[in-house]
Amino acid sequence: MKTYQITLLAGDGIGPEIMGVARAVLAQVSRNCQFHLNFTAAPFGGQAIDLTGEPLPEATLEQCRASDAILLGAVGGPVWDDHPRRPEQGLLGLRSGLGLYANLRPATVRPQLVAASSLKPEVVTGVDLLVVRELTGGLYFGQPQGIFPEKKGERRGVNTMTYSESEIERISRVAFKSAQSRRKLVTSVDKANVLAVSRLWREVVSRVALDFPDVTLNHLYVDNCAMQLIRWPKQFDVILTENLFWDILSDEAAMLTGSIGMLPSASLGEGPGVFEPVHGSAPDIAGQDRANPLAQVLSAAMLLGYGLQETTAAAQIEQAVARVLDQGYRTGDIMAEGMTQVGCQAMGEKLLLALAEGI
């Protein structure tokens, strides 16, 4: 029987609650498909700051490096806002430490949840897009950065947006390869009319496109993309963009689906991948059994499919989520008239039942 080493980084806020559901689902589906998952929990984010003073302790990073895949919950909260080491810095350190340069974020409007979107049904029905985001470059990592003193006692804040040709090329290839198994359309998002780094981005992406003649490439400025996501999101298949732009656009795409609580993601690169929900730690509802665990569970499905190549198990989780939604069960964030509202733990129990029924 195959055995995989999985590191669990539950993190903060609702992280431990949704992680508990995902772990149970993974354990059940591994039994269904006859492989073994060896889970190891490690401190991360605000939880790790409280324990060690660092959001990403070296021991946690080493544990992640020794794993086959990492499942991450959520990090952050107002209690750490004034701490010199913010929980979110752990995310950047994890991406850098594991060489994770490609973030894949599917945004699919499930037929059961069309009414949950704030947009008209005819706009969102059938939306199925994948965003490929560069993770280790741009403003978040460029140097110099910081707050520097100037003359007359004034200070200047500096961040540097920078990308090399090789960084752009490798993320472009991820996008084009992804499109080949989908509808064969890549939309590259930049701000080439203003930013020099975006002009290089557009040039390199266009050059890489020549190696994928079966895929169509379009270019959009980031402000136009933001508008088009609301105007007619079905025009998109794979969206390729840099770090900052998609950090902003991702929440917009999330709301096409009706709730950010439904969206998983995968961060891939040179070593083991990190799989996490798009949403935050929601400290306002932590410990109240109100969290939606489905994004965490769907992230676990991506872990199986992308991280371990256990595609049958990944499909079982997807099918279990669809079955539970078909049965009318909803957490509060996706609740609709005529449905049955359940909490985080009850949603997990319904998923386990669906998995057992599907054996």
Side-chain angles (χ1 to χ4, degrees), residues 1 5 9 13 31 33 53 64 89 94 102 106 111 153 169 178 215 229 244 248 285 293 300 306 319 322 353 357:
M1 183 181 291
Q5 304 298 321
L9 306 178
R31 290 192 290 269
C33 298
C64 291
Q89 290 177 292
L94 191 63
E169 179 171 346
S178 298
V215 177
L229 276 169
L244 172 66
I248 298 168
I285 62 169
Y306 285 91
Q319 292 161 8
L353 182 59
E357 292 173 346

Side-chain angles (χ1 to χ4, degrees), residues 106-126:
T108 302
V109 178
R110 297 173 181 272
Q112 306 95 333
L113 299 179
V114 168
S117 176
S118 58
L119 298 183
K120 295 177 180 178
E122 59 267 29
V123 174
V124 296
T125 299

